[in-house]
Amino acid sequence: MSLIQEARARESMLAGGAARQPAAWSATEQPWAWAVSALLLIMPLIANGFFLIEIFGTTLILGTIALSLMFLAGYGGMVSLMQLTIAGFAGYMVAVFGVSGNANISLGWPWWLAPPMALVLAVLFGTLGGALAVRTEGIYTIMITLAIGAAFYYFTNQNWAIFNGHTGINTIATPHFLGVDWRMDVAFYYLTLAVAALCYFAVLYLSRAPFGLALQGVRDNPRRMAALGFNVNAHRIAAYAFAALIAGMGGVLQVWNYRQISPGSVAVERCIDILIVAVVGGITRPVGPYIGAFIFVILRTFALDFLVKVGLDGNRFRLLIGLGFLAIVFWSSDGVIGLYERWRRRSEASEPRSRPGGHGHG
Amino acid sequence: MSRFIERHPIWSLIILLVLALLAWLIFAVWPPGLEEAIGRKKVFLSAVFNGITLGGLYFLVASGFTLIFGLMRNVNLAHGSLYLLGGYVGYGVSAATGSWILAFVAAFIVVAAIGVLLQLLVFRRMEGQDLRQTMVTIGLSIVFADLMLWAFGGDFYQIQTPAWLIGPVQLPLMTAMKSSGEAVFLQYPLVRLVIFCGSVVIGVAMWLALNRTRVGMIVRAGVDDREILAATGVQIQLVFVLVFALGAGLAGIAGVVGGTFQSISPGEDTRFLLASLVVVIVGGMGSIPGAALGALIIGLAEQLGSVYIPTYAIVVTFLIMVLVLALRPQGLLARR
């Protein structure tokens, strides 16, 4: 887990020995944290429908799925590439149990029954996958979770009875209750915001709760934690289960957002996108995945226009993403947050220099 | 081998029984009831041969992957991109010169050169940092994939099989007995058999080189203890570069093979990266015999699965991986 340890080591080194809480970035003591929260709350007043859903809603959903990876990697030291698979599984389950255009597959359960069922199954799926993945460490975990993700992708492609093969499931019904259509732009935006905030604060809370502290102990020194009487594997599997719940919520929102799901949405490239989002944002703090998701969504939406404007082929979006990702991994193991913090420390330590420290790579 | 039998008598018996059943299914004339139950013998035999030859291809990709990992602990998740690049180079050369053999040579040289660059520019700078290597190679594979899409487009390319390899060959394996008592033998594409023999030769040569030569001794010593090896005066960085070149070159060769068997198109890089991941997880990371065994198992499982249980073929492959992980997390033939 060199990447995370390295990032942490530098962080504590730069903090001058005093154990600096990661709270500075996540807690509400920072004035701009209030500003961002307020901005997110009044967003529907400033942004039009396109920005509200396509940019901010998608960012929040993607960030929530990446948050589950951040939780596993940052606090548990386990890099899992199957978080999107779990989200996709939850989405598929919503489609299968709920109402959709494929009447011969969907069971037609109401909106208050299908998503909880999907979440339960997603947690089960994530726990089983986690139980498998914790048998291995480091790079092996990446490989196994990637293999699980790939197996699920090919399985959805082949299976017609449940997953409807490569056409997937379309026109999935979205919830209507309290007289509100929750897929209308503003309502849906607040729904995603609420879920994202819930998951964010849950992760934040858990990182300081006994379970989260034990998990971080397991990350840093599993043998010592075992010697202290902690069941190391049980903690790891529980972390997978919790991460699966978060990823599952993201998946339910995702399927409501697009109203359809197909193998393309759980493809291997998408799984890797989640890793990119988490790493680019910063994998040591819960806010990182959301920053990463914002950059990713902005790039994905506007790269085409931008590339065409500078006279390049508009299809080179993935090249841009890949190069940005490479740059981040090469120069900052702590993502954009790490870059920002280094830049801030440097400008605090000496006279403010004019050079921004590569802020905004990606 | 004998120690394994001593230690796991039950597993040895099960493996022996499965092998005997497979041998019987291949060589015997099937009784009529069996043909009704699971289909014609010809279909089964073709699936077995397809599985074995696909295993040969998987071995070529996975052996390079596992060789690099075994010695250098370098996790090269851009290995699939090297495969795809080899395929494109092979296609370009064979289309331009009309020579199939030359395609292999060119693919090996070009991809090995890329491998050397990777080792010098990327991996040397982050030795021992597993996770960073993983991230960087994932980033590289995205960049490579897009560059290749740019250069070659989304089309399917098939490398032309040379004239002297086109056509089926009759194998001395009976598929059925005609009512007149005359035996019908299996027809199988010659090119697949030749390529399979080629990959067996490469595998045996690699095993011999690793276990019987001085360079192989250095490589094996490097796998066990890199620092001591470097302290004895061996230029370990040079060994690393050479092994990386060989591993990458093997992926390039495999690309040409894949382009001849099947086709070359965007997306194949991920497919073969995943195949080699599964193969080395099953066989054991860093072990050449493990890669061979894993490739054979996965190739057979995929082909037999796609014939007999098409909906769940991928699940069979996956179940094998799960089973191996549950019983022997380090892989079937890994030492540690």
Side-chain angles (χ1 to χ4, degrees):
Chain A
M1 294 297 107
S2 49
L3 190 87
I4 293 152
Q5 270 166 12
E6 193 186 309
R8 296 220 161 247
R10 202 186 42 237
E11 181 187 302
S12 58
M13 194 179 73
L14 286 175
R20 223 175 51 79
Q21 288 294 314
W25 258 88
S26 36
T28 41
E29 51 204 60
Q30 296 246 349
W32 61 263
W34 287 104
V36 170
S37 316
L39 196 66
L40 283 173
L41 276 176
I42 59 159
M43 192 62 77
L45 297 179
I46 14 184
N48 61 18
F50 170 77
F51 271 86
L52 205 55
I53 297 303
E54 293 299 320
I55 304 293
F56 294 103
T58 317
T59 296
L60 290 169
I61 295 172
L62 204 61
T64 304
I65 300 174
L67 179 70
S68 76
L69 170 59
M70 178 272 141
F71 176 75
L72 284 176
Y75 297 132
M78 304 171 286
V79 178
S80 156
L81 288 185
M82 65 173 180
Q83 295 314 111
L84 179 89
T85 307
I86 295 167
F89 180 77
Y92 261 117
M93 288 304 110
V94 167
V96 167
F97 286 107
V99 181
S100 83
N102 299 62
N104 50 343
I105 290 178
S106 295
L107 299 177
W109 290 11
W111 61 266
W112 49 269
L113 201 54
M117 186 66 192
L119 287 181
V120 168
L121 289 175
V123 169
L124 212 63
F125 180 57
T127 313
L128 282 178
L132 208 62
V134 298
R135 298 185 63 85
T136 58
E137 289 201 328
I139 176 62
Y140 296 91
T141 308
I142 296 183
M143 293 190 196
I144 281 151
T145 48
L146 188 62
I148 291 175
F152 184 71
Y153 164 65
Y154 287 114
F155 183 58
T156 53
N157 250 323
Q158 284 176 353
N159 183 296
W160 291 84
I162 309 171
F163 297 105
N164 205 25
H166 58 79
T167 43
I169 302 175
N170 301 313
T171 38
I172 293 160
T174 49
H176 287 250
F177 60 94
L178 302 176
V180 180
D181 177 359
W182 288 90
R183 185 56 190 78
M184 295 298 286
D185 287 349
V186 174
F188 188 70
Y189 170 77
Y190 279 119
L191 191 65
T192 57
L193 185 62
V195 170
L198 181 74
C199 293
Y200 173 78
F201 287 111
V203 167
L204 209 60
Y205 170 76
L206 212 55
S207 70
R208 294 168 193 166
F211 169 72
L213 293 176
L215 192 64
Q216 291 170 57
V218 166
R219 173 197 66 201
D220 294 335
N221 197 339
R223 287 183 66 184
R224 188 167 169 189
M225 293 302 281
L228 286 171
F230 287 90
N231 187 337
V232 167
N233 272 0
H235 274 79
R236 288 181 172 156
I237 295 174
Y240 270 101
F242 177 68
L245 181 64
I246 296 182
M249 288 204 242
V252 171
L253 289 180
Q254 180 114 302
V255 81
W256 280 344
N257 188 11
Y258 297 127
R259 289 200 193 91
Q260 61 98 30
I261 190 157
S262 64
S265 42
V266 291
V268 177
E269 287 80 14
R270 300 285 91 72
C271 293
I272 290 174
D273 283 349
I274 295 296
L275 178 75
I276 292 179
V277 161
V279 168
V280 163
I283 211 158
T284 52
R285 285 178 197 73
V287 75
Y290 290 101
I291 298 177
F294 186 62
I295 296 173
F296 187 84
V297 169
I298 290 282
L299 262 184
R300 191 174 61 185
T301 316
F302 298 109
L304 201 142
D305 297 336
F306 172 75
L307 284 173
V308 168
K309 207 165 271 175
V310 294
L312 278 168
D313 187 348
N315 293 325
R316 297 284 75 81
F317 150 71
R318 292 204 70 79
L319 190 63
L320 207 64
I321 290 267
L323 288 175
F325 179 65
L326 268 182
I328 289 276
V329 181
F330 255 102
W331 283 300
S332 168
S333 43
D334 201 8
V336 172
I337 296 183
L339 284 177
Y340 168 77
E341 292 211 325
R342 254 187 289 167
W343 167 75
R344 203 181 54 175
R345 280 205 198 88
R346 224 188 307 159
S347 53
E348 266 174 17
S350 60
E351 285 296 307
R353 286 182 213 163
S354 55
R355 281 192 59 205
H359 186 42
H361 266 297
Chain B
M1 184 68 104
S2 57
R3 274 179 58 204
F4 179 81
I5 296 174
E6 266 170 39
R7 253 193 267 158
H8 309 279
I10 297 169
W11 277 111
S12 314
L13 196 67
I14 292 175
I15 293 171
L16 208 68
L17 280 178
V18 168
L19 287 181
L21 179 70
L22 204 63
W24 181 80
L25 282 173
I26 291 173
F27 291 108
V29 178
W30 286 14
L34 189 63
E35 295 232 326
E36 272 166 31
I38 63 172
R40 293 166 59 208
K41 188 183 176 188
K42 188 183 161 201
V43 176
F44 170 77
L45 271 187
S46 303
V48 167
F49 272 81
N50 282 340
I52 293 175
T53 46
L54 184 67
L57 175 56
Y58 282 170
F59 171 74
L60 283 180
V61 194
S63 60
F65 184 78
T66 203
L67 192 67
I68 291 170
F69 180 84
L71 176 63
M72 296 173 272
R73 304 275 137 193
N74 277 353
V75 199
N76 182 17
L77 289 190
H79 200 72
S81 314
L82 298 178
Y83 165 89
L84 190 57
L85 180 68
Y88 280 130
V89 169
Y91 171 80
V93 169
S94 77
T97 64
S99 166
W100 190 57
I101 303 288
L102 212 58
F104 280 98
V105 177
F108 184 86
I109 292 174
V110 171
V111 180
I114 303 266
V116 169
L117 286 179
L118 274 181
Q119 162 65 14
L120 291 179
L121 299 177
V122 178
F123 288 107
R124 186 169 288 187
R125 298 172 50 155
M126 37 188 85
E127 247 172 57
Q129 302 171 319
D130 283 2
L131 211 60
R132 242 180 119 198
Q133 286 174 1
T134 314
M135 307 274 186
V136 168
T137 47
I138 284 177
L140 281 174
S141 69
I142 295 170
V143 171
F144 284 160
D146 206 59
L147 286 176
M148 284 190 277
L149 185 66
W150 199 355
F152 298 96
D155 300 337
F156 287 80
Y157 294 94
Q158 177 124 31
I159 296 173
Q160 189 70 46
T161 313
W164 50 277
L165 283 177
I166 289 178
V169 63
Q170 200 168 45
L171 294 175
L173 289 172
M174 263 188 282
T175 57
M177 195 76 87
K178 280 185 188 165
S179 51
S180 60
E182 199 183 336
V184 183
F185 292 99
L186 179 73
Q187 306 264 332
Y188 200 75
L190 178 60
V191 60
R192 290 187 79 120
L193 291 178
V194 168
I195 284 177
F196 175 71
C197 292
S199 55
V200 170
V201 168
I202 289 177
V204 171
M206 259 165 69
W207 190 84
L208 284 177
L210 275 174
N211 287 282
R212 296 281 184 273
T213 65
R214 196 182 141 69
V215 176
M217 194 170 72
I218 291 174
V219 170
R220 278 182 298 137
V223 171
D224 288 336
D225 196 330
R226 205 187 285 179
E227 283 78 20
I228 294 291
L229 181 70
T232 58
V234 173
Q235 287 194 327
I236 190 132
Q237 292 297 345
L238 184 68
V239 178
F240 279 9
V241 167
L242 288 179
V243 170
F244 212 112
L246 178 64
L250 279 173
I253 286 185
V256 182
V257 171
T260 315
F261 269 20
Q262 303 166 344
S263 58
I264 285 292
S265 65
E268 292 289 287
D269 47 351
T270 347
R271 198 190 132 205
F272 275 86
L273 171 67
L274 289 163
S276 40
L277 280 183
V278 174
V279 163
V280 298
I281 288 172
V282 169
M285 287 291 276
S287 152
I288 298 290
L293 180 65
L296 194 64
I297 292 175
I298 297 301
L300 276 174
E302 239 184 74
Q303 290 297 321
L304 286 174
S306 65
V307 169
Y308 291 107
I309 33 171
T311 315
Y312 299 99
I314 193 73
V315 182
V316 174
T317 320
F318 180 67
L319 275 182
I320 290 173
M321 194 184 87
V322 170
L323 203 67
V324 169
L325 275 173
L327 298 173
R328 223 179 124 76
Q330 70 273 44
L332 290 176
L333 293 186
R335 279 177 305 160
R336 277 163 291 183

